[in-house]
Amino acid sequence: MPEREIAEQKMSYRQAVREAMREAMNRDDRVYLMGEDVGLYGGCFNVSEGMLEEFGKERIIDTPLSESGFTGCGIGAALGGMRPIVEIMTVNFSLLASDQIINTAAILLHMSGGQFNVPIVIRMATGGGKQLAAQHSRSLEGWYSHIPGLKILTPATVEDARGMLWPALEDPDPVLIFENTTLYNFEEAAPVNGTQVDITSAKVRREGSHVSIITYGIGLHKSLKAAEMLSADGIEAEVIDLRVLRPLDNQTIFESVRKTHRAVIVDEGWKSVGLSAELSARITENLFYELDCPVERVCAAEVPAPYAGHLEKASLPQPENIVETVRQLGGIYG
Amino acid sequence: MADSKTETKSREVNAQLKSGKRKQAGSGKDNARLMHHLLAQMIRIRRLEEKSYELYTREKIRGFLHLYDGQEAVAVGVMEVLEREDAVIAAYREHGQALAKGVSMNSIMAEMYGKTTGCSGGRGGSMHLYDKETNFFGGSAIVANGLPMAVGLAQAYKMQKRSSLACCFFGDGAVGEGEFHESMNLASLWELPVLFVCENNLYSMGMPFELAEAETDLLKKAASYRVEGERVDGMDVTAVLEAARKAVDYIRSESKPWFLECQTYRFRAHSMFDPERYRDKSEVKEWKKRDPIKMFSERLMDEGLLDEKQLADIESQAQQEVEESVGYAEESSDEPIETLSRYVYSDMKNSE
Ligand SMILES: Cc1ncc(C[n+]2csc(CCOP(=O)(O)OP(=O)(O)O)c2C)c(N)n1
Ligand SMILES: [Mg+2]
C-alpha cells in the first residue's frame, strides 16, 4: 500500500464520521452500514449522505423501525464474519435494542466461555440541548458504560470522530460510539485520511496546574470554554477528555489529579449513581491524600429534559456553572 | 466438542438425504439405518434429560433447568437435514438441540456441572450451551432474543455467498415478543435463508397458548410477513424430518425464510420450580400416549425395521453415554477463581 499523505483539512464532525465510514468500507468489504434512514434519507443527521449512491443498497442498508431486530441482526452478522456498523438514530431509541446490546452483545463472549466474540460497532447520537424534550435528549452513554463487555467511545473532536471508527471495527468486541448531536456541525482541522487514534486512552486537551476538569463529549467543549474564562482569572485548569468511558483510563486521570490536587467532573448525564459518581469514587479511593479539596461534580439536573429553552439550558452543565464550581474549590486562589 | 460417532453417522445420513438416495432406499438397509439413527438420537436426548432431572434433585446441577422430554422429535427431525455449517440458534430448553447438532454429551453434562470442560467453559450452564465447532449459537434465555441473531447470521451467509442457513428454535411464547415479528419481517424483506422453527408446546410457562395469542393460527402470522411455512406434527420424527427437508430445500433454492410450526408438548414441568397448576394431569397423560419415542419405536417394530435386540442396543448405548458423561463431568475440574474476570473482553487487559 502506498504511503498516505497526512494532509489536514477543515471539516465538520459530521463529515469526519462519514469519511471514517467511507474509508472503512473501501478498506474492508466486510464492513457495511445498517440502520434507519441511513440510505435514501442520507441519515437522520445527514451523516451518511451520498453513501447509498457510492456503495449501493447491499452495503448501505435502510432498515424498518426495528431497533431490536436490526441491532440483533448486526450481532448475528458479526458472528457470521461480517463487520457491521449499526446506526441507531439516537440513544433514546437504543432502549428498544437494549435487549440485544446488553443481553447479547455484551455477554455472549462470556456466556460462551470465550467462543463467540461479537465484533460489532453501534453508532448512535446522544445528548440534549436542542429543545427536543425528555424523550429525545438523553445522555445514556454513562449508563451503558455500567455494563461489562461493552466498550464505550465518546469522540468529542473531529479527529476522534474521524479516527475512532477504524480501531473500533478492528476491535473483536462490541463497541458503542456516542456522537453528541450538538457536535455534528462543529468544525476543526483534522487529518483528511484519518490518523490512527487509539481507543484506549483519555487525553489531556488543555494543560493546567490548578484543577483537573474531567469530562467527555460535548462536556469537553464546555469545559474548554470554562478553562479560558478561568484563565483570565489566573486559574489554569487542565482539561481531560475521557474519550473512552469503558474501560476508563485511570492512569491519565490520576496523573492529572496528582499534579493539580483538585478535580471537577463535568458530565451531561445525571449525577446520581452515574459516571461522575464512579469517577469521583475512583479518584477518592486512589488519591485521597493527594486531594486539596473534595471532588466536585457538574452534571445534568435530576429532571427529565424540559422542552422550554431556558429550562433546558438550566438543566445542563454550562461553562458558567463549571467556572463557578472551580472558583469555589478549597484553596484554588491559593 | 462434537461427538465423533454421532457426527459421522449424521454426515452419512445427510449425504443420503441430499443425494435423494434415502427416498428410493425405501425399506432398504439405508432407510433402516436412518430410522435407527433418528430413534437413537431421540433416546439419547431423553436419557440425558432424565439424568439431568435426577442430578438436579441431587444438587449436582443447579440454577434453572428446563427439560425437553416430549419434544425430542422436533430437534432430531430438523437437525437431520441441516449441515454442520448451518447455524443453530436455540433458547434455554436446548439440551436436545445441542445434542442433535453434534455437541458432545460430555461437554453438555460438564457444562451443567459448571466445569471448565463444559461446552461454555462452565460460564453458561444449562440455559447457555454454545459450541463454535458445531455452529451451535446457544442457548439464549431471553425469550425470542436469539431470533434477530439468526437473521444476522443468515444475512452474513448471504453477503458472503455461502449456501449455509440459520435455523432458530423458539417456543410459542416467543411469538408474542416484538423480536419475533421484527425478525420475521427482516428475514422476509431481505430474503434471508432463515428457518424459523416454532415449537408450539401449548404453554409459555403457565400461560396457555390460546390465552396468549389473539390469532392462534401461526401460519397466518407468517403469511402476514410473506413467509411461507407449514404446520407439522411435532411428535412424529419422520414427519418433522420431511417437513424440515422441504423447508431447507425451499430456503436453499429460493434464498427466503421458512416458518415451521411443530405441534408438540412438554412432558415435564416448565422448569424445576413449577408446581404445574395451570394444566391437568390428564392432559399430560393424554399427550404422553403420543410420546415421540414410543410411537416411533412401535411403528418401526410394526414395519419390521426394528427388533427388541436393536432397541435394547440403542438404549444401552445411550445409557452408557449418559453414564460416561456424568463420570466425565464429575472428574472435570473447576475453573480456578483467579481467572474469574476472563471472557469479559477478548483482550484480558480491558477488564476494568
Ligand atoms: C423476555 C423474557 N420474558 C420472560 C421470561 C421468563 N420466561 C422464561 S421461559 C418463559 C416461557 C416461554 O415459553 P415458550 O417460548 O413457549 O417456550 P417453552 O418454555 O414452552 O419451551 C418465560 C415467560 C424470559 N426468560 N424472557
Ligand atoms: Mg411453549
Side-chain angles (χ1 to χ4, degrees):
Chain A
M1 232 198 220
E3 278 278 312
R4 277 167 214 265
E5 256 183 52
I6 303 196
E8 294 230 328
Q9 181 196 309
K10 200 164 178 175
M11 68 171 116
S12 69
Y13 187 99
R14 167 183 295 108
Q15 245 177 312
V17 178
R18 181 186 308 140
E19 287 312 309
M21 290 198 289
R22 290 186 55 229
E23 186 202 35
M25 291 188 52
N26 281 319
R27 239 168 130 166
D28 186 341
D29 53 14
R30 296 173 306 172
V31 178
Y32 65 100
L33 174 67
M34 171 164 63
E36 289 158 10
D37 281 322
V38 298
L40 290 170
Y41 192 98
C44 103
F45 295 98
N46 239 12
V47 169
S48 49
E49 189 192 347
M51 289 180 66
L52 176 64
E53 291 72 17
E54 183 175 357
F55 296 102
K57 65 178 176 17
E58 311 296 319
R59 296 183 73 196
I60 304 294
I61 303 176
D62 273 320
T63 67
L65 284 102
S66 306
E67 285 80 5
S68 197
F70 68 75
T71 303
C73 175
I75 292 168
L79 291 171
M82 301 303 288
R83 288 292 178 276
I85 303 171
V86 168
E87 176 176 313
I88 299 179
M89 277 186 174
T90 80
V91 67
N92 309 282
F93 319 139
S94 80
L95 296 182
L96 279 77
S98 55
D99 172 45
Q100 292 298 324
I101 298 171
I102 299 174
N103 281 329
T104 305
I107 55 176
L108 195 68
L109 179 73
H110 180 258
M111 284 197 299
S112 67
Q115 293 176 89
F116 291 116
N117 59 300
V118 185
I120 189 176
V121 171
I122 304 174
R123 296 176 35 247
M124 59 185 108
T126 185
K130 295 171 108 182
Q131 284 196 262
L132 298 177
Q135 290 182 329
H136 278 75
S137 306
R138 291 194 184 89
S139 296
L140 293 178
E141 50 277 11
W143 184 77
Y144 275 111
S145 67
H146 181 61
I147 313 292
L150 298 178
K151 291 189 181 173
I152 309 294
L153 310 185
T154 54
T157 64
V158 171
E159 184 187 27
D160 274 352
R162 178 70 184 80
M164 278 182 151
L165 182 71
W166 182 252
L169 283 164
E170 281 189 310
D171 198 283
D173 299 315
V175 179
L176 272 52
I177 305 182
F178 290 89
E179 300 159 8
N180 193 286
T181 56
T182 58
L183 284 175
Y184 281 126
N185 288 330
F186 171 66
E187 290 193 358
E188 225 175 22
V192 186
N193 290 322
T195 46
Q196 211 59 333
V197 299
D198 72 75
I199 54 166
T200 52
S201 67
K203 273 205 164 58
V204 177
R205 297 292 188 192
R206 183 190 195 279
E207 295 207 22
S209 52
H210 299 131
V211 57
S212 302
I213 302 180
I214 301 154
T215 186
Y216 69 91
I218 185 64
L220 171 66
H221 300 271
K222 294 181 175 181
S223 299
L224 287 170
K225 203 176 256 175
E228 289 313 309
M229 290 156 77
L230 287 163
S231 183
D233 235 13
I235 298 171
E236 293 306 330
E238 180 142 302
V239 179
I240 311 268
D241 175 5
L242 290 170
R243 302 178 68 247
V244 185
L245 304 190
R246 188 179 187 108
L248 281 167
D249 172 13
N250 286 345
Q251 199 186 330
T252 304
I253 301 167
F254 294 170
E255 249 165 45
S256 176
V257 177
R258 253 188 222 111
K259 183 173 81 176
T260 64
H261 308 289
R262 293 181 188 85
V264 170
I265 298 151
V266 177
D267 179 11
E268 293 224 332
W270 292 295
K271 187 190 273 183
S272 299
V273 206
L275 179 72
S276 67
E278 173 64 25
L279 288 162
S280 173
R282 286 192 189 204
I283 294 167
T284 314
E285 284 162 1
N286 291 280
L287 302 173
F288 186 76
Y289 296 105
E290 297 275 350
L291 290 171
D292 281 354
C293 59
V295 176
E296 290 288 340
R297 295 183 280 160
V298 183
C299 302
E302 307 274 323
V303 289
Y307 161 68
H310 66 295
L311 291 178
E312 184 184 38
K313 188 154 184 264
S315 77
L316 291 172
Q318 304 298 345
E320 295 73 23
N321 312 124
I322 303 168
V323 167
E324 195 55 29
T325 303
V326 170
R327 280 188 178 145
Q328 286 174 15
L329 292 177
I332 191 86
Y333 286 108
Chain B
M1 306 208 177
D3 178 315
S4 61
K5 247 189 298 172
T6 333
E7 189 199 310
T8 331
K9 230 185 230 173
S10 294
R11 230 185 266 150
E12 280 170 20
V13 174
N14 266 331
Q16 292 168 17
L17 285 168
K18 258 182 301 171
S19 65
K21 242 200 256 162
R22 211 195 62 77
K23 256 189 214 153
Q24 308 139 23
S27 58
K29 238 180 166 176
D30 285 347
N31 186 42
R33 238 171 73 180
L34 172 69
M35 296 300 131
H36 288 187
H37 172 68
L38 295 174
L39 181 64
Q41 288 289 69
M42 292 200 289
I43 288 175
R44 288 174 73 220
I45 297 173
R46 181 67 61 87
R47 298 296 161 259
L48 171 66
E49 297 301 60
E50 286 168 355
K51 188 51 116 185
S52 303
Y53 181 91
E54 178 200 323
L55 291 166
Y56 197 90
T57 59
R58 288 169 45 202
E59 301 194 356
K60 293 285 189 182
I61 298 174
R62 308 302 303 268
F64 277 142
L65 181 69
H66 308 87
L67 300 172
Y68 197 59
D69 308 49
Q71 303 182 209
E72 294 91 343
V74 179
V76 171
V78 171
M79 227 61 83
E80 215 44 57
V81 298
L82 297 185
E83 301 286 338
R84 188 187 182 79
E85 289 69 33
D86 294 327
V88 166
I89 304 92
Y92 48 84
R93 195 183 300 287
E94 89 286 29
H95 307 165
Q97 290 124 3
L99 204 57
K101 186 70 167 75
V103 184
S104 77
M105 198 183 288
N106 280 357
S107 73
I108 295 173
M109 187 59 82
E111 187 56 36
M112 293 195 276
Y113 267 69
K115 299 293 182 78
T116 46
T117 51
C119 60
S120 308
R123 297 295 179 120
S126 159
M127 298 189 288
H128 305 301
L129 305 177
Y130 290 92
D131 184 36
K132 196 168 193 166
E133 250 182 82
T134 53
N135 284 304
F136 191 76
F137 290 83
S140 174
I142 306 294
V143 173
N145 160 284
L147 277 66
M149 183 191 287
V151 172
L153 282 158
Q155 187 188 49
Y157 298 156
K158 185 172 176 176
M159 285 174 160
Q160 295 157 359
K161 303 196 164 45
R162 279 155 68 177
S163 62
S164 304
L165 60 81
C167 171
C168 51
F169 291 86
F170 51 94
D172 45 293
V175 169
E177 297 282 3
E179 285 176 340
F180 165 78
H181 298 271
E182 294 186 17
S183 299
M184 291 279 281
N185 185 48
L186 292 181
S188 179
L189 196 62
W190 296 339
E191 305 194 332
L192 301 177
V194 184
L195 174 54
F196 291 94
V197 181
C198 179
E199 299 192 56
N200 187 351
N201 60 11
L202 300 175
Y203 293 92
S204 48
M205 284 184 63
M207 185 63 167
F209 178 58
E210 75 272 11
L211 298 187
E213 290 298 315
E215 173 57 74
T216 53
D217 183 345
L218 295 179
L219 296 181
K220 278 194 189 158
K221 288 186 202 283
S224 78
Y225 296 108
R226 294 177 185 270
V227 175
E228 302 229 12
E230 199 174 37
R231 181 175 297 128
V232 67
D233 178 1
M235 307 304 266
D236 178 344
V237 67
T238 51
V240 173
L241 185 146
E242 294 304 331
R245 184 180 18 213
K246 182 171 154 193
V248 167
D249 285 349
Y250 171 89
I251 294 168
R252 292 204 210 276
S253 63
E254 305 286 317
S255 179
K256 280 184 190 170
W258 183 272
F259 178 83
L260 185 61
E261 177 188 352
C262 299
Q263 297 188 310
T264 181
Y265 199 77
R266 114 176 107 64
F267 289 170
R268 289 186 191 267
H270 167 73
S271 71
M272 303 299 281
F273 303 101
D274 169 13
E276 288 187 83
R277 294 196 189 92
Y278 49 85
R279 65 180 187 185
D280 223 69
K281 287 211 166 59
S282 61
E283 182 184 290
V284 184
K285 218 170 129 194
E286 217 33 55
W287 273 92
K288 280 190 175 168
K289 288 184 189 155
R290 307 195 44 230
D291 184 324
I293 295 174
K294 195 174 89 175
M295 283 205 311
F296 188 53
S297 50
E298 283 171 7
R299 192 180 102 199
L300 293 183
M301 285 195 183
D302 284 351
E303 289 172 5
L305 289 171
L306 180 76
D307 59 36
E308 291 292 349
K309 157 123 193 5
Q310 287 166 325
L311 179 61
D313 281 351
I314 291 173
E315 282 287 1
S316 76
Q317 262 181 34
Q319 204 53 50
Q320 196 186 332
E321 191 184 6
V322 169
E323 291 312 326
E324 274 173 20
S325 75
V326 176
Y328 179 80
E330 287 280 352
E331 280 158 33
S332 291
S333 51
D334 289 336
E335 183 177 347
I337 287 169
E338 287 67 44
T339 54
L340 171 65
S341 59
R342 229 171 19 162
Y343 306 138
V344 179
Y345 297 98
S346 301
D347 173 357
M348 269 183 70
K349 279 180 295 194
N350 280 313
S351 56
E352 241 182 276

